[in-house]
Amino acid sequence: MTGLPDDLRASIEASGYFPDFVTSTVAQSLGEEAVVDSLVHHEATFNATELHRHVTVLVLTPTRFIVAHTDDGDHPQAHQALTTVETVALRQIRSVALTQVATQPEKFGRGRHGTTETWLVVNWGAVRRQEVEPASCGDPNCDADHGWSVQDLADDLTVRISAAAHGEEAVGHLIRFGSRLQQVAV
């Protein structure tokens, strides 16, 4: 049914999170366009009594950046999964930030000392958030009103992968994907 490359389909299946549904929605948005690169990130979060799963599929084509998010639904009488697929023209991407963390950077590249965590942040202008907090002068004894401090942040997509949680190979994959996106998008 799908025109997805075997490695992308295998990564979606390996996530174990409704692979037929996720594969179908990604393939539908991809259409006949070729896949240049892809990344699948499965994330599980826990609260006191429940497990919530989320999978993000990122696809880079020659002209578009495709972002598919699939989450557990919230219907009280039936189990659901919700997928939203957003496509962004590469020319519309405003910034691609790739942050890499190296533990013991003085030993970087020698033995098992490399990048231990990485974040990919992509901004195309769809989402902005503002963080407002009381301003201060830095003096812990000052009780004067210093007004408010506001940060206006572009926050369309953030993906974080760590070697401890996802393995060194997954960290390397995000670095490769993010680097390729940086090279073609801006």
Side-chain angles (χ1 to χ4, degrees):
M1 137 130 209
T2 75
L4 299 183
D6 291 341
D7 60 337
L8 176 53
R9 190 174 321 115
S11 293
I12 292 170
E13 288 174 8
S15 80
Y17 186 67
F18 306 115
D20 292 336
F21 180 52
V22 173
T23 298
S24 175
T25 59
V26 172
Q28 180 182 17
S29 67
L30 183 63
E32 299 298 318
E33 198 165 8
V35 172
V36 173
D37 204 348
S38 62
L39 179 92
V40 176
H41 181 247
H42 180 252
E43 188 173 25
T45 57
F46 301 89
N47 68 20
T49 60
E50 295 178 324
L51 165 68
H52 295 279
R53 297 176 298 167
H54 174 89
V55 67
T56 300
V57 179
L58 307 178
V59 178
L60 179 60
T61 76
T63 63
R64 297 182 295 152
F65 177 52
I66 299 171
V67 181
H69 294 286
T70 304
D71 294 288
D72 289 321
D74 234 358
H75 194 279
Q77 297 166 343
H79 187 233
Q80 289 182 329
L82 310 164
T83 293
T84 300
V85 180
E86 185 170 5
T87 61
V88 181
L90 292 178
R91 70 183 179 281
Q92 301 226 205
I93 294 177
R94 295 178 180 178
S95 68
V96 179
L98 187 62
T99 302
Q100 299 177 55
V101 177
T103 304
Q104 298 180 318
E106 68 279 5
K107 297 179 181 180
F108 185 82
R110 293 178 283 197
R112 295 188 49 86
H113 299 282
T115 304
T116 56
E117 186 173 330
T118 191
W119 290 276
L120 173 65
V121 179
V122 183
N123 171 25
W124 55 90
V127 177
R128 296 198 72 75
R129 66 184 164 90
Q130 294 182 335
E131 294 183 0
V132 179
E133 61 186 31
S136 71
C137 65
D139 179 355
N141 297 317
C142 179
D143 61 357
D145 183 354
H146 294 284
W148 295 92
S149 171
V150 179
Q151 287 186 342
D152 184 23
L153 305 165
D155 200 9
D156 290 317
L157 173 76
T158 301
V159 175
R160 176 191 171 270
I161 294 181
S162 72
H166 305 98
E168 291 177 15
E169 186 176 328
V171 169
H173 192 162
L174 182 57
I175 291 169
R176 284 187 303 278
F177 183 87
S179 296
R180 181 173 257 170
L181 185 58
Q182 284 179 321
Q183 293 164 15
V184 301
V186 279

